[in-house]
Amino acid sequence: MAIQDFLVASILLSCFIATSYGVSFSSLPETLVVTASPQPGQVLKAGEDTITVSWLLNTSSPAGIDFAYKTVKVKLCYAPISQRDRAWRKTVDDLEKDKTCQHMIVAKAYSSSNNNFTWIVQKDVPTATYFIRAYVYDSNNKEVAYGQTTNSNKATNLFDVQAITGRHVSLDIASVCFSAFSVVSLLGFFFLEKRRSKASQAK
Amino acid sequence: MEISHVPDDSCPKKFALPVDSEHKATEFRLFSFAAPHMRAFHLSWISFFACFVSTFAAPPLLPIIRDDLDLTATDIGNAGIAAVSGAVFARIAMGTACDLFGPRLASSALTLLTAPAVYCTSISNSPVSFLLVRFFTGFSLATFVSTQFWMSSLFSGRVVGTANGLAGGWGNLGGGATQLIMPLVFDLIHHIGATKFTAWRIAFFIPAFFQTLSAYGIFFLGQDLPDGNYSQLHKSGDKHKDNFSQVFYHAITNYRGWILALTYGYCFGVELTIDNIIAQYFYDRFNVNLHTAGIIAASFGLANLFSRPGGGMLSDFMANRFGMRGRLWTLWIVQTLGGVFCILLGKVGSLGVSVAVMLVFSVFVQAACGLTFGVVPFVSRRSLGIISGMTGGGGNVGAVLTQVIFFRGSRYSTETGITLMGIMILCCALLIALIHFPQWGGMFCGPSSKGTTEEDYYMSEWTSSEKEQGFHKASLKFSENSRSERGREIIRSAPTPTDRTPNMHV
């Protein structure tokens, strides 16, 4: 039976899924200085406005700290106010499970200075309050350092994005027309039914 | 194809299936589409399926919708509750509508009236509008009652259990199928070029079209009764219109109806709750993608293909040997096991085991639904329609209660909510022990020592003046047939009933 096959397959699958623990965020040093163009409290429109991010290694870091740094991934991250009552955006120390930063801005090879990138806010970015964080990865693709535009409490320098609604006039019109069509059909049904019963009574 | 010639006023009627004296089909041929019986079966399960698809079209797309409409966990929970609360009273009202207009008009009317809510889901733009469209779409789940009513009108007691179990089970399949269909449709539209926040809106037109089409199918191709439609049939004196207040009184004063309504709330209600939360649960907890979460969630609902009808057939099988007491014990055992696996589901932390436990849980909880409607037809004969509507409505009340207590906002994590829901299933199932039929007994006690018979039980619903006028004759016939609920060992000298037990799974 199909269900039995599915059960066997899923039990086998579970044997192959190893529980993985990621890097802990609190263990990462903040060695990058990240700045971004949005002003605190500015509202950016998804699909239209741009963000320019630049990052460089903190000059007061000890020399040679960036020996293992290979790539940098810059991400758009939710501020605490946009995480409230939304468990799918929760901040967790284990970076494998962390859901704070869900939108990728750019991934680039690491260099200690002269990094910037201009990004159009994508159309699938939801309405929320954000900051920007850059993670540094080593050659094993494990996080080794980070930098962010806000402070450690994620309370300063936050900006907003206004999402697209996804609605179009044509969709609106179609919805209303088909709804009206359904109701009119029903009236038609009742009318037809009455006519049929009168016709059969007349026989 | 067998043809029965039944002498009629005007001309001999020919049916594709063998029929009894009421022209109800005595055989059930799944792969036939012959009018009026099998065609009505297929039309009714397909339209009920369409309504389920629409009602649960939002959950698999919630990861996209919650970002578009800026929903919080509380908003999502409230919308889920709204989706199942509308049908609570709609199901009870639907029984009356079927009586007045016939199941064909009643169900096509409801399906067409709720289709606008599905179309308008595409234009919702806030948590409030999202809640409203889910609320009004949820009314369509009342087509459950018209489905069961229609099957009971067209199929004789011998096969009505199968017809009802399959129609109900295959309709419920919609709750599973939608978890597959909607992500697929969304993906397709997104690939064609629409942005995510537009693609989900366009996707809702699919269930809406399906619903509209099924209503058309029922109206033009269906027929209320074997001999014609309500409006066309000349209402002879055979079809006496019962007194609504008496029927209502006998329904609400029968405590068994209330107990079954509550226990159905903790098998069917649980099924509705899971339909609402399970895709998001797998997406968020195990980090699978939208597609995979949809497939896993779908497999829960798809078990309805065999598990709910199986529950009904199991109930009949146990009744054959052990009578009503067998039905009650089986219901309690299966529902309790469903509760145990629900508790387990909330506890397991790995994806594979979680899916396996969920599948076992789904079979038990859906079989319990089928088993419940093995008992419902015997609670009352006069008020069968309202008792069925109450039980059906009770299912939705259970879904509302469960989502309000455990799955709204952020008080409990979803996995804790699932475990607590399992504990609640166990507690409510205990109430089955309180059901006692004086003529057959209950779980722990045998039949009453006063020697109450089936006639005594069912005739107590009629006053002596009503009996003088002969209104109780149908109930009398039913009492004779229900003697088989005593179980095989006990039927000794009782005369063999002329018809077989009308196992009416409604």
Side-chain angles (χ1 to χ4, degrees), chain B residues 37-51:
Chain B
H37 308 96
M38 290 317 301
R39 191 174 293 183
F41 166 75
H42 289 292
L43 285 170
S44 67
W45 83 256
I46 288 174
S47 79
F48 185 39
F49 178 93
C51 293

Side-chain angles (χ1 to χ4, degrees), chain B residues 56 78 205 244 263 297 310 363 369 378 383 387 399 429:
Chain B
F56 294 102
N78 286 341
F205 275 81
F244 175 71
T263 60
V363 171
C369 295
F378 297 99
S383 313
I387 294 268

Side-chain angles (χ1 to χ4, degrees), chain B residues 63-88:
Chain B
I64 313 292
I65 301 177
R66 67 191 179 194
D67 278 344
D68 188 354
L69 303 181
D70 201 18
L71 305 175
T72 62
T74 308
D75 294 329
I76 294 174
N78 286 341
I81 292 164
V84 293
S85 55
V88 171

